[in-house]
């Protein structure tokens, strides 16, 4: 990469988002790290790791379910780092419940964090790309649950199917401006999210803690749990020069669970 580039990664205080932020920094990007205020310490720690790689990083406290917060995160990243080229709409939450028990509040919560945020991120990023005359890259967090509905992850699966739909629509609407829009669909990644899923599944099916995770990992062809770095490699591709002709795609990165 010859010129300085800037990427904003949401939910980058930990887990997959942290892995993506570090990988894009290694690729030469300066990084905006957006996460909720309660994650400030972790976000600042990621910023310090990026500084140690010789790149600049800023933590921007953001609730991605708030449109004005997302707009402010894009503004702050662009003004403090001096550009804006990529947004990774990564932040998301899981919810483990049989469909018959899902409440109105559950739906509002999961959709506002997993779906509304992606639309807000696209809108704010495109405004900034256009203002700066940049052909930007938008990368969204889908999931294997965006390809196949998973029992007791009903609201979550619905939200990730929505991300896939938004990715396809945005790719077509934004192609005339030269922006690309893609998504990554991880499988079973060992993060805080799976700690929660395993604990909730334990309450539902009584399997010992850790067993639900283990059972799911046993179904992976490559025979091991996924790491944030496995996901980050695909995001690096989608954000980089080699993906210039890729748009509207959801790239499955699951070690061999689903096949398309
Ligand atoms: N872990 C998996 O197995 C898996 C699989 C498929 C897809 N994903 C997706 O990958 C993304 C990252 O997941 P993860 O496993 O790293 O989860 P995680 O829980 O470890 O990290 C999520 C991060 O997002 C942040 N976040 C949550 N709500 C937010 C909000 N309203 N505003 C700003 N930040 C918020 C959290 O504070 C946290 O730092 C999510 O979209 C998730 O759905 C994860």
């Amino acid at each position: 990469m010859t010129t300085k580039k800037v990427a904003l990664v949401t939910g980058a205080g930990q887990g997959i988002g942290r892995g993506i932020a570090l990988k894009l920094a290694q690729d030469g990007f300066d990084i905006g790290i957006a996460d909720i205020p309660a994650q400030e310490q972790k976000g600042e720690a990621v910023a310090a790791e990026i500084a140690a790689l010789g790149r600049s990083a800023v933590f921007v406290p953001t609730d991605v379910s708030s449109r004005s917060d997302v707009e402010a995160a894009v503004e702050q990243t662009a003004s403090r780092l001096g550009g804006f080229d990529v947004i990774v709409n990564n932040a998301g939450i899981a919810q483990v419940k049989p469909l018959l028990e899902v409440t109105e509040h559950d739906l509002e919560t999961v959709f506002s964090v997993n779906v509304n945020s992606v639309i807000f991120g696209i809108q704010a990023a495109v405004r900034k790309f256009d203002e700066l005359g940049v052909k930007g890259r938008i990368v969204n967090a889908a999931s294997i649950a965006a390809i196949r509905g998973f029992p007791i992850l009903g609201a979550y699966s619905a939200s990730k199917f929505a991300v896939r739909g938004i990715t396809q629509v945005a790719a077509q609407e934004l192609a005339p401006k030269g922006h690309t829009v893609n998504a990554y669909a991880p499988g079973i990644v060992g993060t805080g999210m799976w700690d929660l899923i395993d604990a909730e599944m334990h309450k539902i099916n009584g399997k010992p803690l850790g067993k639900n995770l283990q059972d799911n990992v046993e179904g992976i062809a490559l025979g091991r749990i996924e790491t944030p770095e496995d996901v980050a490699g695909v995001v690096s591709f989608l954000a980089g020069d080699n993906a210039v002709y890729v748009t509207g795609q959801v790239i499955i990165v699951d070690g061999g669970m689903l096949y398309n």
Side-chain angles (χ1 to χ4, degrees), residues 11 14-16 35-36 39 62-64 90-93 113 141-143 156 160 186-189 191-194:
Q14 67 176 50
I16 294 170
D35 211 307
I36 52 175
Q39 289 280 74
T62 310
D63 176 353
V64 293
N90 167 76
I93 53 171
V113 178
S143 165
Y156 180 77
K160 293 299 183 179
I188 314 285
V189 190
T191 66
M193 181 170 286
W194 253 94

Side-chain angles (χ1 to χ4, degrees), residues 8-179:
L8 172 63
V9 185
T10 68
Q14 67 176 50
I16 294 170
R18 171 180 169 272
I20 292 168
L22 292 172
K23 176 66 180 165
L24 293 182
Q26 284 161 8
D27 290 349
F29 286 90
D30 290 340
I31 308 290
I33 298 161
D35 211 307
I36 52 175
Q39 289 280 74
E40 177 160 8
Q41 243 183 336
K42 286 187 180 175
E44 292 292 1
V46 176
E49 286 183 271
I50 289 170
L53 293 170
R55 303 300 331 172
S56 299
V58 291
F59 174 73
V60 279
T62 310
D63 176 353
V64 293
S65 66
S66 151
R67 185 185 207 157
S68 57
D69 270 26
V70 175
E71 281 168 359
V74 169
E75 275 306 324
Q76 278 202 39
T77 298
S79 64
R80 291 167 67 186
L81 296 176
F84 200 81
D85 304 277
V86 172
I87 189 166
V88 184
N89 292 307
N90 167 76
I93 53 171
Q95 200 183 72
V96 188
K97 259 189 190 184
L99 205 55
L100 296 185
E101 292 172 19
V102 172
T103 65
E104 212 172 338
H105 179 256
D106 290 336
L107 286 170
E108 276 161 14
T109 306
V110 81
F111 274 79
S112 66
V113 178
N114 292 4
V115 181
N116 297 7
S117 65
V118 174
I119 295 183
F120 299 155
I122 292 170
Q123 291 172 335
V126 169
R127 252 194 310 277
K128 188 53 72 179
F129 295 154
D130 292 351
E131 183 189 315
L132 300 177
V134 161
K135 291 190 193 310
R137 297 291 174 85
I138 296 166
V139 187
N140 302 323
S143 165
I144 49 172
I147 312 294
R148 206 187 84 192
F150 281 79
I152 66 175
L153 288 170
Y156 180 77
S157 292
S159 74
K160 293 299 183 179
F161 267 70
V163 170
R164 192 168 145 221
I166 293 162
T167 300
Q168 294 181 3
V169 170
Q172 293 169 79
E173 289 188 2
L174 300 176
K177 291 174 181 280
H179 310 313

